[in-house]
Amino acid sequence: MQHATIEKSIPLMAILTLILVSIGGIVEIVPLFFIKSTIEKVDGMRPYTPLELKGRDIYIREGCYNCHSQMIRPFRDEAARYGHYSLAAESMYDHPFQWGSKRTGPDLARIGGKYSNEWHQAHMLKPQNVVPESVMPAYPWLQKAALKYDDVDVRMQALSKVGVPYSPEQIANAKQDLAAQAKAGGNDPGLAKRYGNKVPQDDFDGKPDQITELDALLAYLQMLGTLVDFSSYQAQTR
Amino acid sequence: MADNKGVETTGHQWDDDEGYPLQEFNNPLPKWWLYTFYATIIWSFIYWVLYPAWPSANGFTKGVLGWSMHTEFKEDMAAVQVQQKAFNDQMERLSLQEIAKDNKLLQYAISGGKAVFGDYCAPCHGTGGIGVKTGGFPTLADDDWLFGGNLETIHETISGGRVGQMPAHLKSAGGNFSDAQVDDLTSYVLSLTGQSKDAAANQRGDALFHGDAGCKGCHGDKGNGSLKGTVDGSPLPPIGAPNLTDAIWLYGGDRQTVRDSIAKGRSGKMPAWSKESKEVGKKLDPLALKQVTIYVHSLGGGQ
């Protein structure tokens, strides 16, 4: 085929360009969907509870990922500071994943349970009150804004369409599970039955009579990286 | 005719009739650039052979060097283990007291504990334990302890965590007392550090403190806390009730804050860091617990 023929026909050039570019994608991306070693099998992963899911939405809304990564790399210094390196399986229910690409603040992949709710409350209100050298902006409105969660079951339905294994029972009980998780000293049997025993239940925001956006965000932060039991985890040799 | 300044053209020429033809110049890339580019292409072939590169149906090419990030990581971590083994074995075997007496081990524990403290403890207790602006997080660099400042107690506090047990006293917050009574109690507590001069209110608060409100059961007859105080001549249970007479305040010593503490109660929480704890979340291994205990003890207030 003459070069001039391709240059003079826009549709032909578009089709040939598309073929050429997609070769790179096919070679690099497609095998990942089929290779078993891409996502290591681990015990303990579960989909987010409704409250955590709303918290994750707030995390994305406020742009937390711009300054915080959720990806611990396999280096000694990172393991010493943050814990075991992140596994692909730990973000398999994330749509989209929150690995991030920049660490102005620390990595949050294993922030769960590291600091108390009281600390998080003080920190969100004004980070410099607890960490004087911090450059993080304050998020005081989270503790004031009531959490709107009438759409949480619909969001879970949407996620189940892209492969998150929410059961019909989990979706049907979404709203009451959400409210139960935000109760102080909570020990809701339904929540434990549907999501297992690694669900932090508490009055996260320090306002017992209200479910605020801070409740949701802290429920999410307090479970990050806590699900996989690394005492029983054996790294694949690869 | 157009002046092409001696640049080689590809021979294409358009719109010749105006006298200024459009020409396609061919400016070759600098030689150094071109050869560097060829070199990178050659390198990519070498890389494919040496390192993990191509995905396949059920795995990927491993490369002849057998390098993998995870193996490198494991080797790195193992090397550190070997380096620190002599110290770590001793740290594991010896008690806190014994470690504190061995100068070399003490230095090792303090520098390791400092790193642990910086990441896990400093957010609440401040760098070096100097405290933070927000109330509720104790300063560790002073000698005013809630549960005790010896090595064993510090270790216990860090391992198992602590929860504040100040109950609410105001009726609307679940307590048994009226607004006026809470005001009186506030006055009395403030009078212990000379901040309240209202003798009548102080006296009414005094009666409540030592009577119906039961404050003395935790803070002691003299209000000097569960560590130093006594009630009716006997020692108090170690429940972390602060000394109210030393003008060191956990939540703040102004009238409003003290009133809030009495009215609504306080239940500040120190997380548990031992792996034996059932609390969800990141934990510290026994070695790190010992190191950070010794570091906190060394901050100035250790007993």
Side-chain angles (χ1 to χ4, degrees), chain A residues 27-28 31-32 34-37 40 73-76 79-85 87 110 112-116 118-119 122 126 128-133 197-200 202 222-223 226 235-238, chain B residues 12 54-60 62 66-74 76-77 80 83-84 118-124 126-127 131-134 137 267-273 279-283:
Chain A
V27 170
E28 288 184 2
L32 295 179
F34 301 103
I35 298 174
K36 281 185 189 139
S37 63
E40 297 173 83
R73 297 169 294 178
F75 303 135
R76 180 192 157 194
R81 175 162 185 191
Y82 300 120
H84 196 288
Y85 55 78
L87 305 176
R110 303 207 187 284
K114 193 162 173 179
Y115 308 127
S116 67
E118 288 80 1
W119 181 83
K126 189 163 194 283
Q128 290 72 26
N129 278 355
V130 283
V131 186
E133 65 273 26
N197 52 10
K198 276 193 175 172
V199 178
D202 210 335
Q222 292 289 34
M223 61 72 68
T226 61
Q236 283 182 10
T237 322
R238 43 193 202 142
Chain B
H12 289 164
W54 288 94
S56 61
N58 44 18
F60 50 86
K62 302 272 194 285
W67 180 91
S68 95
M69 194 175 238
H70 286 187
T71 338
E72 188 175 271
F73 172 68
K74 265 189 228 157
D76 250 19
M77 297 301 277
V80 179
Q83 249 175 34
Q84 300 180 340
D119 194 25
Y120 293 92
C121 318
C124 290
T127 306
V132 293
K133 275 188 201 161
T134 303
F137 306 111
S267 55
K269 183 162 177 273
M270 160 81 186
W273 294 102
E279 271 177 34
V280 175
K282 184 82 210 287
K283 299 294 163 211

Side-chain angles (χ1 to χ4, degrees), chain B residues 4 26 34 113 173:
Chain B
N4 65 14
N26 182 19
L34 198 64

Side-chain angles (χ1 to χ4, degrees), chain B residues 1-291:
Chain B
M1 271 312 284
D3 175 15
N4 65 14
K5 293 178 179 130
V7 179
E8 182 192 340
T9 80
T10 57
H12 289 164
Q13 195 158 315
W14 305 266
D15 290 344
D16 218 356
D17 44 332
E18 295 289 321
Y20 297 100
L22 283 175
Q23 293 176 318
E24 198 175 354
F25 285 7
N26 182 19
N27 282 305
L29 292 161
K31 284 278 182 290
W32 68 265
W33 196 98
L34 198 64
Y35 290 126
T36 312
F37 179 60
Y38 290 149
T40 60
I41 292 176
I42 293 165
W43 165 245
S44 74
F45 284 99
I46 301 170
Y47 186 95
W48 294 346
V49 177
L50 295 181
Y51 289 99
W54 288 94
S56 61
N58 44 18
F60 50 86
T61 58
K62 302 272 194 285
V64 294
L65 290 185
W67 180 91
S68 95
M69 194 175 238
H70 286 187
T71 338
E72 188 175 271
F73 172 68
K74 265 189 228 157
E75 283 165 8
D76 250 19
M77 297 301 277
V80 179
Q81 286 291 317
V82 171
Q83 249 175 34
Q84 300 180 340
K85 193 174 184 321
F87 282 108
N88 290 351
D89 285 352
Q90 265 186 299
M91 290 278 300
E92 217 164 287
R93 208 180 60 243
L94 298 177
S95 74
L96 290 162
Q97 301 283 359
E98 287 165 328
I99 295 167
K101 272 180 207 140
D102 182 327
N103 204 30
K104 233 176 162 183
L105 274 183
L106 182 68
Q107 291 312 317
Y108 177 74
I110 287 177
S111 47
K114 189 178 176 188
V116 176
F117 190 90
D119 194 25
Y120 293 92
C121 318
C124 290
H125 296 288
T127 306
I130 55 164
V132 293
K133 275 188 201 161
T134 303
F137 306 111
T139 299
L140 304 177
D142 61 11
D143 61 353
D144 184 57
W145 296 96
L146 293 170
F147 292 88
N150 60 38
L151 284 165
E152 283 69 29
T153 317
I154 295 173
H155 190 260
E156 191 186 313
T157 302
I158 299 171
S159 306
R162 302 283 189 190
V163 179
Q165 303 190 22
M166 172 76 182
H169 290 81
L170 190 64
K171 263 201 192 101
S172 62
N176 295 317
F177 300 92
S178 69
D179 270 306
Q181 284 173 309
V182 168
D183 281 336
D184 290 342
L185 272 170
T186 307
S187 292
Y188 175 68
V189 170
L190 289 172
S191 78
L192 294 172
T193 44
Q195 293 184 78
S196 169
K197 309 285 184 215
D198 182 346
N202 293 350
Q203 207 172 358
R204 287 193 300 271
D206 189 346
L208 282 166
F209 190 96
H210 293 95
D212 290 347
C215 311
K216 69 171 184 178
C218 296
H219 293 280
D221 284 327
K222 293 182 186 142
N224 54 355
S226 56
L227 274 188
K228 292 177 183 163
T230 54
V231 61
D232 306 326
S234 48
L236 290 159
I239 56 165
N243 183 348
L244 304 173
T245 65
D246 60 2
I248 298 174
W249 301 96
L250 182 52
Y251 288 88
D254 57 295
R255 176 169 278 270
Q256 187 55 48
T257 311
V258 172
R259 189 183 193 279
D260 271 359
S261 298
I262 298 171
K264 297 176 197 160
R266 298 286 187 186
S267 55
K269 183 162 177 273
M270 160 81 186
W273 294 102
S274 158
K275 287 195 167 145
E276 283 146 35
S277 148
K278 289 203 177 85
E279 271 177 34
V280 175
K282 184 82 210 287
K283 299 294 163 211
L284 295 172
D285 58 44
L287 182 72
L289 279 176
K290 273 187 173 175
Q291 288 183 322

Side-chain angles (χ1 to χ4, degrees), chain A residues 36 57 66 73 156 173:
Chain A
K36 281 185 189 139
D57 288 348
N66 283 312
R73 297 169 294 178
M156 287 162 75
N173 289 292

